[in-house]
Amino acid sequence: MLTAVSLEHATVPADTGEVTLLIARRGEPGHEASFQRWAQGILDTAATFPGHLGYGLFRSSGGDAPWFLVHRFRDAEACRTWQESPERAAWFADCEGHHHTEIARRKLTGMETWFAEPGSTRPAPPRWKMAVSATVAIYPISVLGGLFLTPRLTGVPLLLGSAVTACVFNVLMTYVSMPAVSRLLRRWLTP
């Protein structure tokens, strides 16, 4: 089912080795229906491949604005298997007459998904800037964790206490700290 979804508030997964492909395609006016059938077909076919985690089709806002196709894969190997498959090649061999062209493609992996600006085709920032940003994001969590969480876990077995700390830090990094830091430092990260 095709749905209109805004990429502005989309969240991305933490670094688990997953690969996200973001493809922008521009269609000619009047050929939207044939493009939608083609796009849905290629997305449904990709979904049958091992390691494919999901997909999305985001409608154009009209005019020259592109459509976005999104694929998520378990890892780089699953992504490569789909990219090199005869099934994918067949869909592209049969896209003539659908009046659409690819205008941008991004492959997002690991930490760079935290820094991806939805709707943008700019490359991820340099890794050193991502590392600095991650340090800025985790520092306050570490300080607060040391002050409030660690003292309450002193009687808990080491492995359990470490698991609790890792879970709390991961959730705060993914949903609070990294989104805030990447917004705050956006101009520095991608001038």
Side-chain angles (χ1 to χ4, degrees):
M1 177 175 165
L2 300 177
T3 58
V5 178
S6 168
L7 285 177
E8 184 178 344
H9 301 293
T11 57
V12 292
D15 185 4
T16 60
E18 295 174 10
V19 175
T20 301
L21 288 179
L22 175 63
I23 302 120
R25 296 190 77 83
R26 182 170 291 134
E28 293 179 22
H31 298 278
E32 293 86 0
S34 65
F35 170 72
Q36 282 184 280
R37 284 190 299 275
W38 177 85
Q40 193 62 52
I42 198 167
L43 291 168
D44 288 342
T45 302
T48 66
F49 275 66
H52 191 276
L53 300 177
Y55 63 78
L57 177 61
F58 301 92
R59 295 181 188 275
S60 167
S61 60
D64 276 350
W67 290 70
F68 289 94
L69 290 85
V70 180
H71 294 281
R72 284 187 52 225
F73 296 91
R74 177 186 61 235
D75 53 30
E77 182 59 32
C79 180
R80 186 173 31 262
T81 299
W82 162 246
Q83 294 282 83
E84 297 173 357
S85 73
E87 292 88 344
R88 180 181 178 276
W91 278 102
F92 278 94
D94 186 39
C95 73
E96 294 299 319
H98 293 279
H99 303 276
H100 57 88
T101 55
E102 184 173 302
I103 58 170
R105 172 181 295 259
R106 287 181 67 187
K107 182 188 280 189
L108 304 172
T109 59
M111 271 184 58
E112 65 197 36
T113 58
W114 270 332
F115 301 96
E117 185 174 340
S120 171
T121 57
R122 284 188 287 177
R127 289 192 180 272
W128 72 269
K129 286 187 175 185
M130 290 190 284
V132 168
S133 300
T135 301
V136 168
I138 200 160
Y139 181 74
I141 294 172
S142 298
V143 170
L144 293 173
L147 288 173
F148 298 107
L149 185 61
T150 305
R152 286 168 177 72
L153 297 174
T154 55
V156 176
L158 177 64
L159 293 177
L160 180 60
S162 296
V164 169
T165 301
C167 287
V168 169
F169 278 34
N170 184 40
V171 168
L172 290 174
M173 278 289 288
T174 301
Y175 295 105
V176 179
S177 193
M178 280 310 299
V181 167
S182 62
R183 275 192 308 274
L184 182 68
L185 300 180
R186 185 161 310 281
R187 289 182 192 267
W188 175 72
L189 287 164
T190 53

